[in-house]
Amino acid sequence: MHASRPLLLLWAIAASASGQTVTLNGNMGARHALLVIDGQARVVEVGATVQGVRLISLSTTQAEVDIGGQRRQLVAGASQVRVGNGAANAGAGGGREVVLSAGSGGHFTTQGQINGKGVTFLVDTGATKVALGQPDADRLGIDYKNAPVSYASTANGNVAISAVTLSSVRVGEVEIANVEAVVMPAAMPHVLLGNSFLTRFQMQRNNDTLRLTKR
């Protein structure tokens, strides 16, 4: 393989629409993505359409594609996400279902958004609320410094936490408004997707697959 166009193998996030599945497996330079479309590996150039899949943009960590008229973001480093098309305005956050596949260690992680800005979530059914560290809260522009303070018991003793309300939390094409959350004083590797978000869904786990259906 030519040195100027190295193949960068990536853990990838998959997207499906109208029964079609597309997975980002890597890229070859700045303009060619290695996509697996319905199980078949194809090299697709930005702007080109292959098997009904158009590659809109590409970076070293993600790609944006159009599948059957619906845009999907393929993101490296997360568990597989498949978005159900239960609503006509799914592209605007009106979807009703998200399907997550367990990653290493059996944990469910996925890319998403808080107040329109990107985060990495870790599903935690033991967390009462969505929880994030102060560095993430600062980056997201969340005003926690004037929020009510309470105390939580952790492995490092009691810590002060701030109670906030997130305007929106989005996973895939499913968006929930006004989600209660807490801001922890230290940095956290992921944002914990706790029950203040999860209880808005019917949850069904089957082996390594977790299905969230909006109530």
Side-chain angles (χ1 to χ4, degrees):
M1 187 172 294
H2 196 282
S4 65
R5 297 178 62 182
L7 175 62
L8 303 179
L9 295 179
L10 305 172
W11 290 100
I13 188 172
S16 69
S18 304
Q20 190 170 34
T21 300
V22 182
T23 304
L24 173 65
N25 268 22
N27 65 48
M28 301 176 68
R31 294 189 54 80
H32 293 79
L34 177 60
L35 303 179
V36 177
I37 304 173
D38 291 338
Q40 183 177 3
R42 302 296 298 268
V43 176
V44 182
E45 186 178 6
V46 173
T49 300
V50 176
Q51 293 179 221
V53 178
R54 181 166 67 93
L55 180 60
I56 299 171
S57 63
L58 176 67
S59 71
T60 57
T61 58
Q62 60 186 340
E64 185 177 10
V65 298
D66 183 292
I67 310 171
Q70 297 187 26
R71 291 196 174 196
R72 294 287 186 264
Q73 200 77 16
L74 310 184
V75 183
S79 303
Q80 186 184 80
V81 174
R82 188 166 62 255
V83 181
N85 298 318
N89 63 333
R96 299 194 60 82
E97 184 177 272
V98 176
V99 181
L100 305 177
S101 296
S104 59
H107 300 296
F108 294 96
T109 60
T110 182
Q111 302 297 314
Q113 295 180 351
I114 290 177
N115 298 351
K117 297 182 180 180
V119 298
T120 301
F121 289 115
L122 170 67
V123 174
D124 186 352
T125 57
T128 303
K129 299 179 180 180
V130 173
L132 63 159
Q134 285 186 3
D136 276 328
D138 290 333
R139 179 176 63 84
L140 298 171
I142 297 171
D143 181 14
Y144 61 89
K145 295 179 181 178
N146 297 315
V149 175
S150 59
Y151 291 86
S153 179
T154 70
N156 296 321
N158 289 336
V159 297
I161 59 175
S162 301
V164 298
T165 298
L166 307 175
S167 298
S168 68
V169 175
R170 179 168 175 156
V171 178
E173 302 299 342
V174 182
E175 187 169 4
I176 301 295
N178 301 321
V179 178
E180 293 184 350
V182 295
V183 177
M184 309 294 289
M188 298 171 59
H190 304 93
V191 176
L192 300 183
L193 198 60
N195 288 321
S196 57
F197 178 85
L198 297 174
T199 53
R200 307 281 190 98
F201 297 83
Q202 291 180 341
M203 299 174 58
Q204 181 180 5
R205 179 169 181 173
N206 184 14
N207 296 323
D208 289 337
T209 299
L210 178 65
R211 186 183 302 273
L212 303 176
T213 304
K214 194 175 180 181
R215 295 182 185 275

